[in-house]
Amino acid sequence: MKHIVFLAALAAVTVSAATAHAETVDPAQAIAQKFSDTDAEPQQRSFARPGADYEADMLARAHAEELARKQQEAEQMAAKPAISESAPQFVPSSTVSAPPVAKLAALPPKPAADLLRTRSEPAPMPTPPTRSAATVLLVLDPDNTGLGFKPDPILCIDNTCWLSNGFRAPARSLPRNQAMALSGTNDMTAESCSGKSGCVFRNVIIDPMHRIDVIEVGEGGGASSGAYTITADKTCRVDGTSLACSNGLATQNFRIWVVPEAQAEAAGAVRLENTLAEGLPEIDVTSANDK
């Protein structure tokens, strides 16, 4: 009960004091006090100080930006001298004339054959002598000492042999193995050389790469009188009623003239027969030995 009385008394005193204070405050002073309290509110706010990590991050960013700016400036400075030091283009003055230049004469073009030869192809080989047709005049026993047997000669060149068939018909050709087996030529051609010391072989193919072999069939038993290399004699010419050749072949056993077939055809059969009957006289006849 005492407490209740005390609280009631205290409340009465407080109300009376507040009433007395309200009555003594000036209105203008109250307004001024209000604005003064309003202005003071912002100053009473407080902010937290940034930490050490935040300051370190800001410093690192500023340092990186500074390095980037310096690097960009250095690149710009390095690019300027390269542009300024580029080689100046020299433009010759129109007033200065260039010294005259001597003009070389154009070389004539090479033939197409020479251009082909300049490549890696080898140089052409010399053309070997070609085969040709000729009339062969043959005289046995040039010294007229007698043969001692019945002659029956044939000519063999490589693997082909030729049998005489007179002054007007071409000689007959046979393979060498067949010709060597003959016992005689009397029945082989119309005008054979059997038993004659002078024979003519018309239109024989002369091969410069092979020798002419004079072989005796029949009583000769296929013996060879010698093989010699000889070509058609281009010096052969008409000499009156006969022929004359400067490059004949003379051996101990026989004498031969090789007349190009065109020359023999032009001379005719009569001149050929007359020449053979004369024994193929020595007109710069070349002496030969067996090879």
Side-chain angles (χ1 to χ4, degrees):
M1 186 66 178
K2 290 180 181 181
H3 288 287
I4 295 172
V5 174
F6 174 76
L7 291 175
L10 181 59
V13 173
T14 302
V15 171
S16 61
T19 303
H21 178 72
E23 291 177 354
T24 58
V25 174
D26 186 24
Q29 186 178 0
I31 293 172
Q33 182 66 33
K34 183 178 179 180
F35 282 103
S36 175
D37 295 340
T38 303
D39 295 338
E41 288 179 0
Q43 295 178 1
Q44 293 177 358
R45 295 177 183 178
S46 61
F47 298 92
R49 180 179 179 84
D53 294 340
Y54 176 81
E55 292 181 357
D57 181 60
M58 293 301 292
L59 289 176
R61 290 185 181 183
H63 183 65
E65 292 177 356
E66 181 67 17
L67 290 178
R69 182 181 61 79
K70 289 183 179 181
Q71 183 176 0
Q72 184 178 4
E73 291 178 355
E75 292 176 355
Q76 292 177 354
M77 293 297 294
K80 289 181 180 180
I83 298 175
S84 61
E85 292 177 5
S86 59
Q89 297 181 355
F90 176 75
V91 180
S93 175
S94 59
T95 59
V96 179
S97 60
V101 178
K103 294 183 178 181
L104 298 177
L107 296 175
K110 289 185 176 181
D114 292 345
L115 293 177
L116 293 176
R117 195 174 300 158
T118 56
R119 298 179 180 177
S120 58
E121 300 176 358
M125 298 296 293
T127 303
T130 58
R131 302 170 64 186
S132 60
T135 291
V136 179
L137 301 177
L138 171 66
V139 172
L140 301 173
D141 188 21
D143 299 330
N144 295 320
T145 58
L147 296 175
F149 61 91
K150 180 183 176 180
D152 197 354
I154 62 174
L155 298 180
C156 292
I157 303 175
D158 196 17
N159 292 322
T160 302
C161 294
W162 304 85
L163 282 61
S164 176
N165 197 21
F167 289 94
R168 290 175 174 83
R172 181 180 176 181
S173 64
L174 283 178
R176 190 183 186 101
N177 58 348
Q178 295 182 18
M180 295 294 292
L182 293 174
S183 59
T185 63
N186 193 31
D187 298 331
M188 298 299 296
T189 60
E191 296 185 33
S192 72
C193 197
S194 178
K196 300 177 182 178
S197 60
C199 304
V200 59
F201 300 83
R202 294 295 305 270
N203 203 29
V204 174
I205 303 302
I206 303 298
D207 189 347
M209 305 302 293
H210 297 92
R211 300 174 181 180
I212 295 179
D213 195 0
V214 180
I215 296 177
E216 287 287 347
V217 296
E219 292 184 5
S224 173
S225 298
Y228 304 89
T229 301
I230 188 170
T231 59
D233 186 359
K234 296 181 180 180
T235 67
C236 294
R237 58 204 178 274
V238 173
D239 185 12
T241 60
S242 59
L243 288 175
C245 295
S246 300
N247 297 319
L249 172 65
T251 72
Q252 295 178 354
N253 300 319
F254 57 83
R255 186 176 293 151
I256 282 182
W257 283 6
V258 181
V259 184
E261 191 60 33
Q263 293 289 340
E265 188 68 25
V270 174
R271 286 191 175 92
L272 293 175
E273 190 173 359
N274 293 338
T275 303
L276 194 61
E278 294 173 359
L280 306 181
E282 296 184 9
I283 305 175
D284 297 331
V285 176
T286 301
S287 180
N289 296 317
D290 284 342
K291 297 182 180 179

